[in-house]
Amino acid sequence: MATRTQDMPPKGGYSPIPFKRIPAKTYFKGATLIGAYFGLSFSAFYLYALNYYDVERDEVENRSARNAMMPLLRAERDREYLKQLRRNRDEEADLMSKVKGWEVGTWYGEPVFKTLPEDTFVDPTFKEYYGHTTFKATAQRAHVKLWN
């Protein structure tokens, strides 16, 4: 059997344990960091101001274009709305042509809105407006209308 030996410290003992504080390397002093901060802030503000004037000019141009176009677009939308109402009326006349006593825009000759003058325009409801379309088309338009 082999003899066992105990593990002992080296001759002269172990070296002392380092416990003193070792400060981190300093690359910049406080005044340098503050100067760099103000230098970067000033240059960033200058670049921001240059970009701000460009963005402001573009926004003014876009607003002017929108203000110029909106009356035209609204007039076209209203024109198409009235054309669709005309198509709906013509479709009603075609569908109900064989029904005795049916007059377009009335309920068998009775005006629907009795208290309004005859030349008053009454907006149709959503379902009346899309009355002659498929259910799928109406559902798609209803979804769009809910988001507007």
Side-chain angles (χ1 to χ4, degrees):
M1 255 216 276
T3 61
R4 298 190 179 161
T5 58
Q6 185 174 351
D7 191 15
M8 299 297 287
K11 297 238 186 247
Y14 291 110
S15 61
I17 298 172
F19 62 90
K20 284 195 244 175
R21 182 178 174 272
I22 301 171
K25 278 188 182 177
T26 56
Y27 294 103
F28 303 107
K29 299 222 184 278
T32 309
L33 288 174
I34 291 173
Y37 170 77
F38 282 113
L40 284 171
S41 294
F42 177 75
S43 59
F45 180 73
Y46 176 72
L47 293 174
Y48 173 80
L50 288 178
N51 187 41
Y52 176 79
Y53 294 128
D54 288 344
V55 169
E56 187 69 23
R57 187 187 66 237
D58 290 345
E59 285 181 358
V60 167
E61 186 176 341
N62 286 338
R63 259 195 317 269
S64 298
R66 191 178 320 115
N67 288 339
M69 291 295 295
M70 282 311 286
L72 175 69
L73 293 174
R74 284 188 180 140
E76 285 297 317
R77 182 192 61 193
D78 293 345
R79 185 171 172 266
E80 182 57 35
Y81 179 71
L82 292 174
K83 283 169 61 177
Q84 182 61 41
L85 291 179
R86 175 64 156 240
R87 287 191 289 263
N88 287 354
R89 190 189 72 184
D90 294 344
E91 183 71 22
E92 179 185 347
D94 186 43
L95 284 173
M96 303 301 283
S97 62
K98 295 178 184 161
V99 177
K100 270 186 152 176
W102 186 265
E103 188 179 327
V104 175
T106 63
W107 181 254
Y108 290 101
E110 285 278 327
V112 179
F113 301 100
K114 297 179 182 180
T115 58
L116 296 177
E118 284 207 21
D119 61 345
T120 304
F121 177 73
V122 179
D123 272 331
T125 64
F126 182 80
K127 287 186 176 182
E128 289 173 339
Y129 185 76
Y130 288 103
H132 301 289
T133 61
T134 63
F135 175 76
K136 183 178 179 182
T138 306
Q140 286 174 343
R141 299 307 189 286
H143 182 69
V144 169
K145 181 143 179 79
L146 289 174
W147 285 98
N148 285 336

Short mmCIF file of all heavy atoms in Angstrom, two decimals, residues 44-58:
data_model
loop_
_atom_site.label_atom_id
_atom_site.label_comp_id
_atom_site.label_asym_id
_atom_site.label_seq_id
_atom_site.Cartn_x
_atom_site.Cartn_y
_atom_site.Cartn_z
N ALA A 44 -26.29 68.94 -31.96
CA ALA A 44 -27.56 68.24 -32.19
C ALA A 44 -28.71 69.23 -32.33
O ALA A 44 -29.59 69.06 -33.18
CB ALA A 44 -27.83 67.27 -31.04
N PHE A 45 -28.71 70.28 -31.51
CA PHE A 45 -29.76 71.29 -31.61
C PHE A 45 -29.69 72.01 -32.95
O PHE A 45 -30.73 72.29 -33.57
CB PHE A 45 -29.63 72.29 -30.46
CG PHE A 45 -30.68 73.36 -30.50
CD1 PHE A 45 -31.99 73.08 -30.16
CD2 PHE A 45 -30.37 74.64 -30.92
CE1 PHE A 45 -32.97 74.06 -30.21
CE2 PHE A 45 -31.34 75.63 -30.99
CZ PHE A 45 -32.64 75.34 -30.62
N TYR A 46 -28.49 72.29 -33.42
CA TYR A 46 -28.33 72.95 -34.73
C TYR A 46 -28.88 72.06 -35.85
O TYR A 46 -29.63 72.53 -36.71
CB TYR A 46 -26.85 73.26 -34.96
CG TYR A 46 -26.56 73.85 -36.32
CD1 TYR A 46 -26.94 75.15 -36.62
CD2 TYR A 46 -25.93 73.10 -37.29
CE1 TYR A 46 -26.70 75.69 -37.86
CE2 TYR A 46 -25.68 73.64 -38.54
CZ TYR A 46 -26.06 74.93 -38.83
OH TYR A 46 -25.83 75.45 -40.06
N LEU A 47 -28.53 70.77 -35.83
CA LEU A 47 -29.05 69.85 -36.86
C LEU A 47 -30.57 69.70 -36.76
O LEU A 47 -31.26 69.61 -37.77
CB LEU A 47 -28.36 68.50 -36.74
CG LEU A 47 -26.87 68.49 -37.08
CD1 LEU A 47 -26.27 67.12 -36.78
CD2 LEU A 47 -26.65 68.87 -38.52
N TYR A 48 -31.09 69.67 -35.53
CA TYR A 48 -32.53 69.59 -35.33
C TYR A 48 -33.22 70.83 -35.93
O TYR A 48 -34.25 70.72 -36.59
CB TYR A 48 -32.85 69.49 -33.84
CG TYR A 48 -34.32 69.57 -33.54
CD1 TYR A 48 -35.15 68.48 -33.70
CD2 TYR A 48 -34.89 70.76 -33.10
CE1 TYR A 48 -36.50 68.54 -33.43
CE2 TYR A 48 -36.24 70.86 -32.83
CZ TYR A 48 -37.04 69.74 -32.99
OH TYR A 48 -38.37 69.83 -32.74
N ALA A 49 -32.64 72.01 -35.69
CA ALA A 49 -33.23 73.25 -36.22
C ALA A 49 -33.23 73.24 -37.74
O ALA A 49 -34.22 73.64 -38.37
CB ALA A 49 -32.47 74.47 -35.69
N LEU A 50 -32.14 72.78 -38.35
CA LEU A 50 -32.10 72.70 -39.82
C LEU A 50 -33.21 71.77 -40.34
O LEU A 50 -33.91 72.10 -41.30
CB LEU A 50 -30.74 72.19 -40.30
CG LEU A 50 -29.55 73.13 -40.17
CD1 LEU A 50 -28.29 72.43 -40.65
CD2 LEU A 50 -29.78 74.41 -40.97
N ASN A 51 -33.36 70.63 -39.72
CA ASN A 51 -34.38 69.67 -40.13
C ASN A 51 -35.78 70.20 -39.84
O ASN A 51 -36.72 69.99 -40.62
CB ASN A 51 -34.15 68.34 -39.42
CG ASN A 51 -35.07 67.26 -39.95
OD1 ASN A 51 -35.29 67.16 -41.15
ND2 ASN A 51 -35.60 66.47 -39.05
N TYR A 52 -35.94 70.92 -38.73
CA TYR A 52 -37.25 71.45 -38.35
C TYR A 52 -37.79 72.40 -39.41
O TYR A 52 -38.96 72.35 -39.76
CB TYR A 52 -37.14 72.16 -37.00
CG TYR A 52 -38.42 72.82 -36.57
CD1 TYR A 52 -39.44 72.08 -36.00
CD2 TYR A 52 -38.61 74.19 -36.75
CE1 TYR A 52 -40.62 72.69 -35.61
CE2 TYR A 52 -39.78 74.80 -36.36
CZ TYR A 52 -40.79 74.04 -35.79
OH TYR A 52 -41.96 74.63 -35.43
N TYR A 53 -36.95 73.27 -39.93
CA TYR A 53 -37.41 74.22 -40.94
C TYR A 53 -37.83 73.51 -42.21
O TYR A 53 -38.81 73.89 -42.85
CB TYR A 53 -36.33 75.27 -41.22
CG TYR A 53 -36.06 76.15 -40.01
CD1 TYR A 53 -34.77 76.33 -39.55
CD2 TYR A 53 -37.10 76.77 -39.33
CE1 TYR A 53 -34.53 77.12 -38.43
CE2 TYR A 53 -36.87 77.55 -38.23
CZ TYR A 53 -35.57 77.73 -37.77
OH TYR A 53 -35.36 78.51 -36.67
N ASP A 54 -37.12 72.45 -42.58
CA ASP A 54 -37.52 71.67 -43.76
C ASP A 54 -38.87 70.98 -43.54
O ASP A 54 -39.74 71.00 -44.40
CB ASP A 54 -36.46 70.62 -44.10
CG ASP A 54 -35.19 71.24 -44.67
OD1 ASP A 54 -35.25 72.43 -45.08
OD2 ASP A 54 -34.16 70.55 -44.70
N VAL A 55 -39.01 70.39 -42.37
CA VAL A 55 -40.27 69.69 -42.06
C VAL A 55 -41.42 70.68 -42.00
O VAL A 55 -42.51 70.42 -42.52
CB VAL A 55 -40.13 68.91 -40.73
CG1 VAL A 55 -41.47 68.41 -40.24
CG2 VAL A 55 -39.16 67.76 -40.89
N GLU A 56 -41.19 71.83 -41.38
CA GLU A 56 -42.24 72.85 -41.29
C GLU A 56 -42.66 73.33 -42.68
O GLU A 56 -43.84 73.49 -42.97
CB GLU A 56 -41.74 74.02 -40.44
CG GLU A 56 -42.79 75.06 -40.14
CD GLU A 56 -43.86 74.57 -39.20
OE1 GLU A 56 -43.61 73.61 -38.45
OE2 GLU A 56 -44.96 75.14 -39.22
N ARG A 57 -41.70 73.54 -43.56
CA ARG A 57 -41.99 73.98 -44.93
C ARG A 57 -42.81 72.91 -45.66
O ARG A 57 -43.80 73.23 -46.35
CB ARG A 57 -40.68 74.25 -45.68
CG ARG A 57 -40.90 74.87 -47.05
CD ARG A 57 -39.62 74.97 -47.86
NE ARG A 57 -39.16 73.63 -48.17
CZ ARG A 57 -37.96 73.15 -47.85
NH1 ARG A 57 -37.09 73.89 -47.21
NH2 ARG A 57 -37.62 71.92 -48.17
N ASP A 58 -42.44 71.64 -45.49
CA ASP A 58 -43.19 70.56 -46.14
C ASP A 58 -44.61 70.46 -45.60
O ASP A 58 -45.56 70.21 -46.35
CB ASP A 58 -42.47 69.23 -45.94
CG ASP A 58 -41.18 69.14 -46.74
OD1 ASP A 58 -40.98 69.99 -47.64
OD2 ASP A 58 -40.37 68.24 -46.44
#
